[in-house]
Amino acid sequence: MADIYRRAERTIVWLGETTMLDDDRIAIVNATERMTFRPIEREWSELRDEDILKDLIGFRAEGESSELGQRRRRVLADALNRSWFTRAWVFQEVVVAKSGIVLYGSLEMDMDIFINLLDGVCDLDLKDVGATKSMMRSSKGYRPMFAIREARFESRNGLSSASKGRFLSTVWQAMGNVDATNPRDKVYAFLAFSDLEAESQISPSYELPVRSVYADATLKSIRSLRSLDALELALKDRDLSSDLPSWVPDFSRPLPSFPFMTHNVGGSNFRASRKIPYPNLTHPGLDRHALAVKGHIISTISSICPVSFPTFDPSQTLYEFLQLDEIASWAMSHPKSPHDHPTILRALLAEGAAADDTSNNENYDSTKAFQVYQDGPTLLEACRAGHVPAPNRASDTPSVRALKVHYRYYSWMKRVSEIVVRKRVFVTEDGDLGLAYEAIREGDKVGVLLGSRTPTVLRAVEDDDGQWRFVAQCYLDGWMRGEVHEGRREWTEEGVESFVLS
């Protein structure tokens, strides 16, 4: 099917009828005609004239302008909620197409411009109304649209061979957000984006059990990329109940929690195994649903904090949501565990791993983060007073300017704090502080596997020597970048142990 769309001169996307008023259609068309779009560029923020979009959607406007803007937002939000965005097979229709036209009622627009328009409006809407009420959160088509945009960029720029992890990243964006009658199509519908090596290419077979299709796709991705990034998608329910092997993602369901390498699988700055690749192991007599890996066991989980984070509530302050004092009190009962607030806060936020831009991981500042966390009440009061968020003004006093800087960092911390949902803080027998998905248990082993960017939690299979279950990847403070720890095992390829994940 992908070849058909590659050869087509134009792909037409029909989103259906709409009650859009002619005035709104004309306003939307006029806005895009006044803007300069270069769809093959990646820096989307440079492609749209922000002031034009603000006028279009009534960004922080009042009175009649606000009412018009809100109506146009609803029109565009309705487009993102159309069923077209949630059909698995549409991805390849638009991603590989030379050009495309979107028909939305009486509105006709170039496909790249339309996607760019939706992206820009969603971005401004988030800044205007906050995460809780944003189009990003309420529109079922936002994440698929984001995946289409990224994959189309790579396709237009010929990055299919250079952009390692593209297949996994595209599948991750679609997990739980698209529909397919046959669960096998949650893999097969995205083969047009495959960046796997020739010998690892996936051949569709609807005779195979779903379990085998998902395991085969995961194993071939691991072998082709020589990376265990695929494990990041293999989060299971609390009791690890699944018909799938523990290391195989369930591509038919959304992830229960944010992974530590969000938005772009393989894009994290974490390098726990020091960029040592997965060694493509073979194991005599190994079951086709088992995975052979090598690595080091670092320590054993000795205690798990009782503080839980079942959901993300954007209306809560960071102080209310993260419950830092309670976690610090728990940590104090473990002599080897660090219990200072900045360190615990760093672990809770996983150094900003949930940021849209992974470069923020390198810029996380523990001292600044804790200071901003403490300043939360002052910042919220300044927000109520209208000092923040607001553009910088010449009349701003030094204290107001400082507040604005802190408010931006606070907003960033608030956004990335969602990573703690359905995760628990834990401490190891050696005093390492970590954060992992809540399926972990006391007695689980924490190690670093060759080819994994983050440490991994493993559980020995009872009555089966040598067999292990993958529990989760985790954040382990002080071990995310291959650090050397005095008096503890040096992290090298030499002396690694072998494990079989079932």
Side-chain angles (χ1 to χ4, degrees):
M1 288 293 290
D3 288 338
I4 294 175
Y5 290 103
R6 285 191 183 97
R7 295 171 184 170
E9 289 300 317
R10 176 174 293 176
T11 296
I12 298 175
V13 175
W14 169 241
L15 294 182
E17 295 292 352
T18 175
T19 57
M20 182 192 320
L21 300 177
D22 281 342
D23 286 350
D24 293 332
R25 176 182 60 80
I26 293 171
I28 291 170
V29 171
N30 287 344
T32 57
E33 287 179 347
R34 292 162 55 204
M35 299 163 69
T36 302
F37 289 91
R38 297 187 300 277
I40 61 171
E41 299 288 342
R42 191 182 190 100
E43 292 300 327
W44 299 91
S45 61
E46 297 177 1
L47 309 184
R48 54 184 181 256
D49 186 319
E50 201 169 75
D51 290 337
I52 295 175
L53 282 185
K54 285 180 177 179
D55 288 341
L56 178 68
I57 65 171
F59 183 82
R60 293 179 185 162
E62 297 179 356
E64 184 178 354
S65 296
S66 176
E67 292 176 10
L68 285 172
Q70 291 299 325
R71 193 175 72 201
R72 291 164 189 162
R73 287 191 215 196
R74 288 193 292 271
V75 165
L76 295 172
D78 178 62
L80 269 178
N81 278 311
R82 295 302 171 103
S83 61
W84 181 88
F85 282 102
T86 60
R87 301 205 313 264
W89 283 99
V90 304
F91 272 68
Q92 61 178 339
E93 294 178 14
V94 295
V95 170
V96 303
K98 295 176 184 176
S99 65
I101 292 292
V102 173
L103 300 178
Y104 177 40
S106 59
L107 178 68
E108 179 177 327
M109 189 172 292
D110 175 86
M111 180 168 59
D112 289 308
I113 292 178
F114 188 73
I115 291 175
N116 209 338
L117 171 70
L118 291 177
D119 176 56
V121 169
C122 284
D123 186 49
L124 285 176
D125 178 72
L126 176 66
K127 295 176 182 177
D128 197 14
V129 303
T132 309
K133 300 178 181 179
S134 69
M135 291 168 60
M136 286 184 183
R137 187 175 292 271
S138 62
S139 301
K140 60 185 178 183
Y142 175 76
R143 194 171 293 280
M145 183 271 291
F146 180 89
I148 288 171
R149 189 195 71 177
E150 292 295 292
R152 185 159 173 77
F153 162 78
E154 293 181 347
S155 178
R156 293 281 294 272
N157 285 274
L159 298 181
S160 57
S161 60
S163 183
K164 294 299 183 182
R166 175 187 172 197
F167 173 65
L168 280 179
S169 183
T170 304
V171 172
W172 173 70
Q173 294 291 347
M175 283 177 71
N177 295 294
V178 298
D179 301 320
T181 304
N182 192 314
R184 298 166 184 81
D185 287 333
K186 292 297 185 79
V187 171
Y188 294 157
F190 303 99
L191 294 183
F193 318 125
S194 175
D195 55 358
L196 307 183
E197 296 174 348
E199 62 270 21
S200 296
Q201 287 299 319
I202 300 167
S203 299
S205 173
Y206 289 90
E207 288 72 39
L208 287 174
V210 174
R211 169 187 173 95
S212 297
V213 172
Y214 288 5
D216 182 58
T218 307
L219 181 59
K220 287 182 174 178
S221 296
I222 289 172
R223 290 188 175 280
S224 180
L225 301 175
R226 298 197 65 189
S227 165
L228 294 178
D229 284 347
L231 297 184
E232 186 72 7
L233 307 180
L235 298 180
K236 303 292 193 299
D237 291 328
R238 296 180 186 181
D239 59 356
L240 303 186
S241 60
S242 174
D243 180 52
L244 296 169
S246 64
W247 55 276
V248 175
D250 186 348
F251 295 111
S252 68
R253 301 172 59 192
L255 291 179
S257 176
F258 262 103
F260 289 105
M261 295 182 292
T262 59
H263 301 287
N264 181 16
V265 176
S268 171
N269 285 316
F270 294 146
R271 47 187 181 275
S273 62
R274 297 183 177 176
K275 298 185 178 180
I276 300 172
Y278 173 75
N280 274 342
L281 301 171
T282 57
H283 198 289
L286 190 68
D287 182 273
R288 64 177 297 182
H289 294 142
L291 176 68
V293 296
K294 285 189 174 183
H296 290 297
I297 295 296
I298 295 174
S299 193
T300 301
I301 294 178
S302 62
S303 181
I304 300 171
C305 182
V307 175
S308 63
F309 306 93
T311 59
F312 178 70
D313 183 357
S315 67
Q316 289 183 308
T317 65
L318 277 175
Y319 183 87
E320 294 168 330
F321 179 57
L322 293 179
Q323 306 170 71
L324 199 54
D325 289 340
E326 289 85 346
I327 296 175
S329 296
W330 163 82
M332 289 182 67
S333 63
H334 302 276
K336 291 185 178 180
S337 173
H339 52 264
D340 60 289
H341 284 59
T343 300
I344 295 173
L345 183 61
R346 182 173 64 232
L348 280 172
L349 299 181
E351 299 180 43
D356 296 349
D357 178 5
T358 53
S359 66
N360 279 321
N361 291 345
E362 295 286 13
N363 298 329
Y364 185 86
D365 185 318
S366 294
T367 302
K368 179 179 179 181
F370 183 58
Q371 181 181 357
V372 171
Y373 170 85
Q374 289 180 306
D375 287 347
T378 303
L379 291 171
L380 294 177
E381 185 61 36
C383 186
R384 284 190 285 269
H387 297 307
V388 293
N392 292 326
R393 301 185 182 93
S395 59
D396 287 346
T397 64
S399 60
V400 169
R401 283 196 290 271
L403 276 174
K404 289 180 177 179
V405 171
H406 275 201
Y407 184 81
R408 285 193 293 272
Y409 201 80
Y410 179 89
S411 298
W412 176 78
M413 288 172 60
K414 185 77 174 290
R415 189 167 70 251
V416 302
S417 68
E418 192 167 357
I419 198 167
V420 304
V421 171
R422 299 190 67 177
K423 293 185 178 71
R424 291 290 184 93
V425 175
F426 66 87
V427 65
T428 70
E429 292 177 349
D430 295 287
D432 303 306
L433 191 70
L435 179 72
Y437 186 52
E438 57 189 9
I440 59 173
R441 296 177 187 167
E442 293 178 2
D444 285 343
K445 302 296 183 181
V446 182
V448 177
L449 304 179
L450 299 182
S452 178
R453 297 170 184 266
T454 68
T456 303
V457 180
L458 302 176
R459 183 176 302 160
V461 176
E462 296 180 8
D463 304 321
D464 196 337
D465 292 339
Q467 294 279 318
W468 295 77
R469 297 203 74 182
F470 167 78
V471 179
Q473 290 190 316
C474 70
Y475 176 87
L476 195 65
D477 196 54
W479 291 88
M480 302 307 293
R481 295 176 176 83
E483 295 90 336
V484 175
H485 294 263
E486 185 177 354
R488 300 179 69 177
R489 179 181 291 179
E490 170 68 8
W491 213 135
T492 66
E493 283 186 271
E494 299 177 2
V496 292
E497 305 171 60
S498 296
F499 306 90
V500 174
L501 305 185
S502 59

